[in-house]
Amino acid sequence: MTRSRPAQMLRVVALRALLVALAAIAAGPVVWAAFGSLKQGRDITTRPFALPRPPTLRNYGTAVEAGLLWQWLHSVLLTSVCVLLVLLLASLASYAFSRLSFRGRAPLRTLLLSGMMVPVHAVLIPLFVAAGRMGLAGSPISLVGPYVAFSLPLSVLLLTTYFAEVPREIEDAARLDGCSDLRFWWHVLIPMARNGLITVGILQGVWIWNEYPMALVMLTRSWKTLPVGLAAFKGQYHADWGAVLAGLVIVAVPLLALFFAFQRWIVRGMTAGAVKS
Amino acid sequence: MGLTKLLALGCAAAACVLASTDCRRSAPVSPPAGAVPVATGSGATVVRFGSVWVNEPRKSTLEKVAAEFRAQHPEIDLRIEYTQPDDYKAAIRTAVAGGDAPDVFFVWPGEWLRKFVRGRQVLDLTDELAKDDWGGRFIPNAKPLFEYRGRAWGVPMLMQCAYFLYNKGMFAERGLAPPKTWDELLEVCETFKREGISPIGLSNKDKWPLHHYVSILWQRIVGEDRVLDDYDTESEGAFSDPGYLDALRMVRLFADRGYFSENANGTSRETFRQLFASERVPIIMTGTWDLGVLQKSDEVPEGFGDKWDMFPLPEVPGGRGSQAYMMGAPDGYAVWADTKSRDAALTWLRFLTSPDVAQQLVSGLQELVCVKGAVNEQTAGDKLLRYATDLEAAPGVTPWADIMLESSVREAYLDSLSGTLDGTVSPEDVLTTLRNAHAKARAETGTES
Amino acid sequence: MVPYVFVAPALLVFIAFALIPIVLGLCAAAFRIDPVLRVCEYVGARNFATIASDTPFRIALRNNLLWVVLSIGVQIPVALLLAAALADQSRFSRVMRTVFFSPLVIPGVAIGIMFSIVLDGQLGALNAALSWIQGHQVAVGWIADRRWALFCLIGVACWQYTGFHMMVLLAGIQDIPVELYEAAEIDGAGWWQRLARITLPLLRRVLLADMLLVAIGSVKVFDIVQVMTQGGPNNATEVLGTYMYSQAFMSERMGSGAAVAVVMLGVTLAFALIHSRLARLEAGAS
């Protein structure tokens, strides 16, 4: 039973309208927050849906004064260091898991992958006590180890899939040329699996950037990552909604901008690698 | 971008992380105090000061005092670390547990401080206080809670006392006088309630405000010594007096009759002050910490300070406690046991509690500094002066339960008590919860050295 | 020899910073640990007994299970609808997909803060909007009202993660050969029928995996609850994550906190087992 064209078009339009409505719900709060951050004090509560008149940057001043920009820097540094370490360690290990055969390969792989199940809460207390004993209490260095360690299972999983896809012929050719394992890994495998590396880097980078419970427990001094800093900022300025929204925008908008710029990679990476396994 | 370049960037980033954890001398924008410690010349002894004075006017007053101190003591690098009071409890414990506590840090006295003492985490200050009669500077009523096992472990700074504040106009319009007993208070509330006005503003989102009502009733009904004994996990007391239940029932009565403002469990402190400042509720119970804000600040209209007055906490005729006791507790500072800058830390603490600085603090904060003579006609407004005079005249001060109860007991008690407001937890259940938690804590204390 | 050199760095870091802490963390559940008091004594199963008899723990457990059920019930169908509707490569679809995925990029903390302002009982934007629509003042407590708080939080979580699951299901849909759809269209099957007869059956394995992801995420939830309600009002929104934090860092009972972590791990493993059992059934059937 074929439907008549007008009816079909109506269904398409209705479906699109529904989708747009849902998208409005998805994007609405952030857009509202962005506009709200430009409003003066009470206007957010008294005229929540009006445009800011006149728009003011005072709230951003408050947020910057409270140190949010520093925390931004902290997050950037910590995330970059951790992501680089993850990519390094995971790609080394994934090469071995995907293309070399050795005794204990399967059990070691399972051991690594099992880490994906464990909630980060399970390790909060021992890590916190250990950091104290080692004199690293409150220091961001205490977070590097755990962040890298907890990123490894998923990264190894994804990268193994990517590496396995590199054709056998290329490897054979490289071996014939006298390529050692390490050189093959660095000169051939890494460039070929660049998409996979970027995807993994982005996935883990986002997770580390947004991570809250571990950072909350471990970072007790003034060196804070953005999620912890933002929560503290809200705690102190919770009456000043303008400032809080400005802080929010500082946190969310750059990430969103980066995301929209790189969304092609992320989407492709997610659909290609993430679910195949 | 080649991978080699990426690696180089990574190494640079790593170097930056390592560098940024300790030194920020090349900051292009001057970082705010608290986000980043102020770096001075090397060679100075660092003293880290953990403070909860994040709000105004406390913060700027403290900053002025700190600036004076730094000018007088260039050999000491004073770094103030600010934390919200509610976050502070967890943060300072984490810091102490992690071996990374500030040299001088804010403490609440009572059980809160005692735990640090039992864990040998704070310095015994008894001998220091005896030198130059440092200890003699403080108001006598403020010192006992900092003492434990015969020694002194901290110094008091601000005395926090609670009173009822009432709107003079709203009372006068109905020919009401400030109530002297709790029963009279009930009548006053009923008068307002009949007109559809919520009589008492309450914000219990942080869980501790409601228990102040219970704490004073416990003291009035059961008696101050008995109450202190029961709070203590090291003694035999176990909240067995029937007066405890009576007090809980009384508070439940207020809740049931709708005398508290709506949805108190979800009301923030700002909204709570707004309710009073916009004259929507005639009565609130609050303490010296709100005195300044409610007289003159951004939150209240011009001249609002003249519109309200205070009445002391009502009496319970026939109660076993002294009906003239005030309710409150000092807060203060202790010195970390593992501090590497002991002398410098003590220098700062002596400076902070010196008579001149104390008077500066009173003028700036309009709060009760525990140094004798700090609150006087020159420094204090008349409302603060009244607190100070009453404090001097009072036979004693009963502390609120949450600083006297062990952590897990406090959490369990406050959690279940908040259920009284919407009727989900009965007074009997609150008391049972308290007793059970207390018993557990007592059992554990018995196993410590 | 060589393969081990490649695997060693990752494995060592994992063992040192994840595996050993996990084991220690689970063992901590059998101790009474109080760093301030410098206490670390063995207490056997007492911590488990303590939390089992604690009402907030039972509330937390119930809340997490409710969270799992409602999240699966809301996120999966919506994600499926979105994935099916946006599976093509048109510009509209690509833009829409990006929009729906974007909440994932924002830290949970920021999302929690944003919604706690929108949902504020007194002055929030949602109440303002409802008041405008209804014509009179609407002042629902939302997250301050113990009847609605948990559902509001679950709603926020759905807002945050539905886009992610849309992507997961989308990947699965893209595996389905286009010819099947074309054949069905020729046979006259409508959009809905194509979804029900082709997409759903072939997507079963992916759907099952995705449900497991939703379930695990619902057990681990912490950020938005901690920021928006801290488990309140009066424990109404307590979840295992916040309960663990409050036991360990507010009540200073780290051993009990570790016991809660053990429970979280147990529940996660239980879901994984259920999934594995169902997946095997599904593989056997097809």
Side-chain angles (χ1 to χ4, degrees):
Chain A
M1 177 182 65
T2 24
R3 300 205 186 272
S4 58
R5 280 208 60 220
Q8 216 167 22
M9 279 199 63
L10 201 63
R11 298 186 81 216
V12 170
V13 168
L15 186 65
R16 292 216 161 180
L18 176 66
L19 288 171
V20 170
L22 285 174
I25 297 179
V30 180
V31 171
W32 179 83
F35 277 113
S37 66
L38 296 170
K39 289 190 186 158
Q40 308 235 16
R42 300 246 180 269
D43 281 358
I44 300 174
T45 54
T46 51
R47 297 162 56 230
F49 294 108
L51 284 176
R53 231 178 344 130
T56 169
L57 286 180
R58 207 175 58 117
N59 297 320
Y60 287 92
T62 317
V64 169
E65 236 176 55
L68 275 184
L69 279 187
W70 283 103
Q71 284 148 10
W72 217 90
L73 191 66
H74 295 164
S75 279
V76 167
L77 290 174
L78 184 63
T79 308
S80 320
V81 169
C82 291
V83 167
L84 283 170
L85 283 173
V86 169
L87 288 177
L88 183 67
L89 297 180
S91 54
L92 281 171
S94 299
Y95 169 53
F97 281 130
S98 63
R99 305 190 77 94
L100 302 175
S101 75
F102 53 98
R103 222 168 30 155
R105 183 170 87 160
L108 281 178
R109 194 166 158 215
T110 315
L111 180 67
L112 202 55
L113 295 187
S114 66
M116 272 203 291
M117 291 282 201
V118 181
V120 97
H121 298 86
V123 297
L124 283 181
I125 292 165
L127 282 176
F128 163 71
V129 172
R133 295 244 182 90
M134 290 201 289
L136 286 176
S139 159
I141 301 185
S142 62
L143 279 176
V144 173
Y147 277 170
V148 172
F150 274 86
S151 301
L152 282 173
L154 183 62
S155 309
V156 166
L157 183 65
L158 289 179
L159 284 179
T160 315
T161 316
Y162 275 100
F163 284 1
E165 279 171 10
V166 171
R168 195 83 224 171
E169 299 81 48
I170 297 191
E171 181 164 9
D172 292 339
R175 299 272 181 209
L176 278 176
D177 285 345
C179 204
S180 76
D181 283 315
L182 191 61
R183 299 191 69 214
F184 175 67
W185 171 80
W186 178 252
H187 287 285
V188 182
L189 208 54
I190 300 266
M192 288 204 69
R194 212 170 55 175
N195 291 353
L197 286 171
I198 293 180
T199 303
V200 167
I202 291 175
L203 275 177
Q204 295 311 323
V206 168
W207 177 73
I208 292 173
W209 183 281
N210 291 346
E211 205 277 335
Y212 183 55
M214 246 197 286
L216 179 65
V217 168
M218 306 290 264
L219 297 176
T220 50
R221 297 240 235 137
S222 42
W223 204 103
K224 290 195 188 341
T225 57
L226 216 37
V228 181
L230 186 61
F233 179 65
K234 183 233 179 183
Q236 184 179 342
Y237 287 89
H238 63 267
D240 186 354
W241 282 4
V244 174
L245 287 178
L248 254 177
V249 170
I250 291 180
V251 170
V253 168
L255 285 176
L256 282 172
L258 271 171
F259 167 67
F260 283 120
F262 287 100
Q263 52 103 355
R264 224 172 22 108
W265 297 101
I266 303 170
V267 168
R268 200 199 304 171
M270 282 214 58
T271 56
V275 184
K276 299 280 190 203
S277 36
Chain B
M1 204 198 309
L3 274 165
T4 339
K5 265 194 234 164
L6 210 60
L7 258 181
L9 203 71
C11 291
C16 283
V17 166
L18 289 169
S20 74
T21 55
D22 270 334
C23 108
R24 285 167 190 79
R25 285 150 215 256
S26 51
V29 173
S30 124
V36 157
V38 175
T40 58
S42 59
T45 322
V46 174
V47 171
R48 286 173 54 206
F49 181 56
S51 166
V52 295
W53 291 7
V54 278
N55 295 319
E56 296 303 334
R58 289 174 168 190
K59 188 164 181 196
S60 38
T61 313
L62 181 60
E63 287 294 327
K64 278 202 211 108
V65 171
E68 270 179 44
F69 179 77
R70 289 189 191 111
Q72 285 186 29
H73 292 269
E75 78 282 6
I76 298 181
D77 177 10
L78 177 70
R79 301 184 187 183
I80 310 183
E81 294 168 13
Y82 295 96
T83 318
Q84 283 281 119
D86 294 314
D87 293 334
Y88 182 78
K89 292 187 181 106
I92 190 63
R93 274 190 236 116
T94 311
V96 166
D100 184 48
D103 302 289
V104 182
F105 58 89
F106 176 86
V107 292
W108 283 279
E111 174 60 26
W112 212 85
L113 179 59
R114 286 184 197 180
K115 194 159 192 189
F116 284 91
V117 177
R118 290 203 293 268
R120 301 183 304 279
Q121 306 278 9
V122 290
L123 277 186
D124 180 344
L125 294 177
T126 322
D127 298 324
E128 271 302 316
L129 284 168
K131 280 194 214 157
D132 307 319
D133 196 29
W134 184 22
R137 284 188 215 163
F138 299 105
I139 298 177
N141 260 342
K143 290 201 283 189
L145 282 174
F146 285 89
E147 288 161 11
Y148 184 44
R149 294 178 180 165
R151 315 288 293 176
W153 303 91
V155 297
M157 170 53 68
L158 293 180
M159 189 65 175
Q160 311 287 358
C161 296
Y163 269 2
F164 274 107
L165 274 57
Y166 72 99
N167 186 308
K168 292 195 284 193
M170 287 173 88
F171 266 55
E173 277 166 30
R174 294 156 184 81
L176 295 169
K180 291 239 171 19
T181 70
W182 281 88
D183 288 327
E184 282 176 31
L185 179 59
L186 278 172
E187 282 169 25
V188 167
C189 290
E190 185 58 32
T191 315
F192 282 106
K193 189 67 187 174
R194 259 183 302 211
E195 294 181 34
I197 304 176
S198 289
I200 305 180
L202 177 65
S203 137
N204 200 38
K205 198 168 184 194
D206 303 313
K207 294 191 201 154
W208 52 261
L210 182 62
H211 100 280
H212 285 183
Y213 289 82
V214 182
S215 291
I216 186 63
L217 281 169
W218 279 351
Q219 182 271 326
R220 295 279 198 251
I221 298 176
V222 177
E224 50 276 3
D225 296 321
R226 180 69 190 272
V227 156
L228 278 180
D229 188 66
D230 282 334
Y231 288 152
D232 199 342
T233 44
E234 289 180 347
S235 74
E236 293 302 312
F239 300 98
S240 49
D241 192 297
Y244 287 109
L245 192 55
D246 293 335
L248 287 165
R249 288 212 180 111
M250 168 77 102
V251 173
R252 175 62 182 264
L253 190 64
F254 274 82
D256 285 343
R257 291 198 189 164
Y259 291 163
F260 291 126
S261 55
E262 251 180 55
N263 209 10
N265 274 335
T267 309
S268 70
R269 291 216 278 279
E270 283 75 23
T271 311
F272 157 76
R273 289 195 287 260
Q274 265 313 297
L275 284 173
F276 190 64
S278 57
E279 307 196 49
R280 278 191 281 168
V281 300
I283 307 170
I284 55 172
M285 187 207 278
T286 185
T288 39
W289 57 88
D290 270 343
L291 264 191
V293 177
L294 286 173
Q295 285 183 86
K296 189 165 156 39
S297 72
D298 294 331
E299 288 188 37
V300 304
E302 192 66 41
F304 184 64
D306 296 323
K307 292 217 174 137
W308 58 268
D309 204 348
M310 314 181 295
F311 60 86
L313 300 172
E315 306 171 1
V316 177
R320 271 157 283 154
S322 157
Q323 300 303 314
Y325 255 50
M326 291 174 72
M327 174 172 69
D331 52 48
Y333 298 98
V335 179
W336 187 34
D338 295 338
T339 176
K340 308 219 172 28
S341 333
R342 185 180 176 277
D343 294 322
L346 288 168
T347 311
W348 162 241
L349 210 46
R350 280 176 184 267
F351 181 83
L352 193 58
T353 54
S354 61
D356 295 321
V357 174
Q359 294 204 32
Q360 257 190 315
L361 290 174
V362 173
S363 303
L365 302 175
Q366 287 300 298
E367 293 193 60
L368 246 172
V369 175
C370 293
V371 172
K372 287 186 197 157
V375 179
N376 53 52
E377 278 98 33
Q378 279 85 44
T379 54
D382 52 321
K383 297 203 163 66
L384 185 62
L385 212 46
R386 175 161 164 206
Y387 261 116
T389 345
D390 288 352
L391 185 61
E392 234 182 302
V397 180
T398 185
W400 23 68
D402 67 349
I403 57 164
M404 302 307 293
L405 291 172
E406 197 263 344
S407 300
S408 60
V409 181
R410 176 195 71 229
E411 292 294 315
Y413 165 56
L414 289 182
D415 265 344
S416 75
L417 183 64
S418 59
T420 313
L421 282 178
D422 50 20
T424 48
V425 182
S426 74
E428 290 79 6
D429 285 337
V430 175
L431 193 56
T432 314
T433 307
L434 175 62
R435 283 186 182 146
N436 289 346
H438 187 82
K440 271 194 211 137
R442 266 206 11 250
E444 281 174 357
T445 317
T447 65
E448 289 162 33
S449 51
Chain C
M1 188 55 210
V2 170
Y4 296 106
V5 172
F6 275 85
V7 174
L11 224 42
L12 284 174
V13 168
F14 180 72
I15 291 175
F17 292 100
L19 203 57
I20 293 183
I22 289 173
V23 171
L24 284 177
L26 299 180
C27 290
F31 286 78
R32 176 178 159 233
I33 302 175
D34 191 331
V36 174
L37 283 175
R38 305 189 205 242
V39 154
C40 188
E41 54 162 338
Y42 178 77
V43 293
R46 196 172 76 189
N47 287 326
F48 289 97
T50 309
I51 61 175
S53 62
D54 197 16
T55 318
F57 171 72
R58 282 180 262 158
I59 296 178
L61 204 51
R62 183 205 70 190
N63 283 347
N64 274 107
L65 291 175
L66 199 57
W67 199 296
V68 170
V69 169
L70 285 178
S71 291
I72 292 182
V74 170
Q75 289 187 38
I76 302 276
V78 174
L80 187 59
L81 179 79
L82 291 176
L86 298 172
D88 59 298
Q89 292 306 319
S90 70
R91 181 101 188 258
F92 177 76
S93 289
R94 275 185 295 143
V95 170
M96 284 287 122
R97 287 201 299 254
T98 310
V99 170
F100 285 117
F101 190 76
S102 61
L104 261 123
V105 178
I106 310 175
V109 172
I111 293 179
I113 293 174
M114 185 167 63
F115 277 100
S116 56
I117 289 183
V118 168
L119 293 175
D120 184 271
Q122 242 88 4
L123 309 157
L126 187 57
N127 278 338
L130 288 174
S131 302
W132 182 76
I133 295 175
Q134 297 247 19
H136 62 85
Q137 185 71 356
V138 170
V140 183
W142 300 116
I143 54 175
D145 186 331
R146 47 199 326 277
R147 289 166 299 171
W148 303 116
L150 188 66
F151 298 106
C152 291
L153 292 180
I154 298 179
V156 173
C158 290
W159 180 89
Q160 186 181 9
Y161 286 112
T162 304
F164 173 75
H165 298 291
M166 172 193 73
M167 288 307 217
V168 173
L169 295 177
L170 188 65
I173 288 180
Q174 284 177 341
D175 267 351
I176 299 176
V178 167
E179 296 82 44
L180 283 177
Y181 287 114
E182 287 169 355
E185 202 169 345
I186 293 174
D187 283 346
W191 186 84
W192 182 253
Q193 281 177 312
R194 293 205 296 274
L195 180 71
R197 295 278 176 79
I198 302 178
T199 317
L200 269 180
L202 289 177
L203 218 46
R204 270 211 298 258
R205 194 177 63 92
V206 177
L207 273 172
L208 218 53
D210 201 32
M211 282 195 233
L212 179 64
L213 286 177
V214 177
I216 294 181
S218 304
V219 172
K220 297 202 300 192
V221 69
F222 176 73
D223 301 11
I224 50 179
V225 184
Q226 182 71 11
V227 168
M228 291 176 86
T229 60
Q230 294 99 49
N234 198 20
N235 297 126
T237 57
E238 195 78 64
V239 289
L240 291 173
T242 53
Y243 181 68
M244 186 213 166
Y245 182 78
S246 93
Q247 282 291 298
F249 297 99
M250 304 295 297
S251 297
E252 304 192 79
R253 301 180 152 281
M254 298 210 155
S256 296
V260 178
V262 171
V263 173
M264 283 172 84
L265 186 60
V267 176
T268 307
L269 282 175
F271 281 121
L273 272 172
I274 295 176
H275 166 259
S276 148
R277 192 55 60 82
L278 286 174
R280 233 175 302 157
L281 279 177
E282 199 276 333
S286 58

